[in-house]
Amino acid sequence: MMPDLGRYATEVISAYVVSIVIILAIVALTLWQARKTKARLEEVEKRSVRRG
Amino acid sequence: MSLWEYANPRKFIATTDVVLPWFWAGTIACLVVGLIWGFFFTPDDFRQGSTVKIIYLHVPSALMAINAWLMMLVASLIWLIRRHHVSALAAKAAAPVGIAMTLIALLTGAIWGAPIWGKPWAWDPRLTSFLWLFLFYIGYIVLWQALDDMDTAADMTSILCLVGSVFALLSRYAFLFWNSGLHQEASLSLDKETNIADVFYYPLLLCIAGFVLLFITLVLVRTRMEIRARRMKALIARERMV
């Protein structure tokens, strides 16, 4: 299944690994920050409703 | 219905609630199919060998690194002219995604350049202006973090964005101004003679679509996050005043 990358195998594979790691990192960071912010806002909104 | 309706944070969040799952699905489909097609099912180039497969990462990421900054420029201009907070927050939201794209383009370019040019880096006009763009992204993100007042931060970063746009455009068109340097002309062209061969072109188009959708999806998610963070800040400030 793996294509024959010849003498440039290291370069090609490292380019894919580096890029996929950066893409997954920015996606994970974005989702984590978005969830954290949403949860914190809900908490602050509940608190401000209780206080009137 | 006017585009300006989306300047209302509630309307923006309600609309993106509906469209975001479609954008996620499109992003995953285009990226997975495009990258698998490019990596596994395209031939080697007669000059570059298998390093041609790096094109499916380098070209889309470089394209998005430049266009992300141009999107930030449009959003910043809307902020400066019309004072819509959502546009300033959208520009802020795009910067981390833009810097990730710039980093991918710089690293894949260096990895490709090492065997093909014989060196990973050259102070070529296009590469140098791309490095400047990367530094502008860092400066833009740091400036947002450094200023507490949102309106002041949006004003200052919008001005920085205007200045950085020179480097965003230079990194795209530098080879037209300075007919020198290692970096070749654009891989994609409307001219059939100069465009890359179809066997590389179609998977590349799919990868470009994937990167465009990834950028839009992440910017939408991050803009929603920035809107919520702004509301939270306002509620906390109100609590302190009571």
Side-chain angles (χ1 to χ4, degrees):
Chain A
M1 188 62 192
M2 186 72 181
D4 178 17
L5 300 171
R7 62 194 174 113
Y8 300 124
T10 311
E11 286 84 356
V12 177
I13 290 170
S14 54
Y16 274 78
V17 169
V18 162
S19 304
I20 290 167
V21 166
I22 294 173
I23 290 171
L24 292 178
I26 187 71
V27 170
L29 180 73
T30 298
L31 292 177
W32 177 70
Q33 287 179 326
R35 278 193 194 141
K36 197 175 77 171
T37 308
K38 193 178 177 188
R40 283 179 62 196
L41 174 62
E42 280 168 3
E43 196 182 295
V44 174
E45 278 176 335
K46 272 183 203 160
R47 204 166 61 208
S48 63
V49 166
R50 276 202 301 270
R51 286 185 181 181
Chain B
M1 194 177 71
S2 156
L3 183 70
W4 302 115
E5 281 182 30
Y6 297 99
N8 177 332
R10 278 181 197 280
K11 173 87 179 165
F12 182 88
I13 287 187
T15 309
T16 50
D17 261 340
V18 178
V19 299
L20 260 176
W22 294 100
F23 275 104
W24 275 118
T27 303
I28 293 167
C30 288
L31 275 183
V32 169
V33 175
L35 289 176
I36 288 176
W37 186 358
F39 186 84
F40 290 99
F41 303 108
T42 56
D44 289 356
D45 179 69
F46 74 100
R47 273 180 300 192
Q48 303 175 41
S50 63
T51 62
V52 72
K53 293 178 192 293
I54 297 175
I55 200 175
Y56 306 112
L57 297 160
H58 181 72
V59 170
S61 57
L63 196 81
M64 286 320 298
I66 298 166
N67 287 313
W69 192 274
L70 297 180
M71 174 256 150
M72 286 159 59
L73 170 67
V74 173
S76 300
L77 286 173
I78 293 172
W79 162 254
L80 289 173
I81 297 164
R82 299 193 64 142
R83 313 301 281 181
H84 288 314
H85 284 99
V86 172
S87 70
L89 295 175
K92 183 185 181 187
V97 190
I99 203 172
M101 300 287 177
T102 314
L103 195 57
I104 293 173
L106 282 170
L107 291 173
T108 53
I111 292 168
W112 178 86
I116 302 300
W117 290 340
K119 50 186 170 182
W121 182 261
W123 294 102
D124 153 293
R126 204 167 182 187
L127 272 69
T128 308
S129 48
F130 215 84
L131 182 64
W132 272 103
L133 181 63
F134 180 69
L135 297 175
F136 265 93
Y137 269 118
I138 294 175
Y140 182 91
I141 292 168
V142 169
L143 193 54
W144 262 110
Q145 302 297 326
L147 297 167
D148 265 345
D149 180 63
M150 191 247 157
D151 286 10
T152 311
D155 285 339
M156 301 299 277
T157 52
S158 295
I159 291 161
L160 184 70
C161 191
L162 290 175
V163 179
S165 301
V166 174
F167 291 94
L169 290 171
L170 272 183
S171 56
R172 175 74 184 81
Y173 297 109
F175 69 93
L176 294 177
F177 306 127
W178 295 279
N179 196 19
S180 65
L182 272 175
H183 201 290
Q184 67 270 39
E185 291 183 18
S187 304
L188 297 174
S189 167
L190 292 173
D191 179 5
K192 191 88 179 158
E193 290 292 311
T194 53
N195 196 24
I196 57 168
D198 285 354
V199 71
F200 305 117
Y201 181 59
Y202 294 114
L204 178 58
L205 279 188
L206 203 54
C207 289
I208 290 173
F211 272 76
V212 170
L213 286 170
L214 176 68
F215 173 75
I216 296 171
T217 308
L218 291 180
V219 171
L220 289 179
V221 173
R222 298 190 73 88
T223 305
R224 288 156 60 93
M225 178 184 89
E226 294 297 345
I227 289 170
R228 287 182 172 128
R230 181 171 173 264
R231 175 163 166 73
M232 187 167 66
K233 217 172 165 183
L235 285 174
I236 291 171
R238 199 188 298 166
E239 271 179 8
R240 283 182 187 153
M241 284 170 69
V242 176

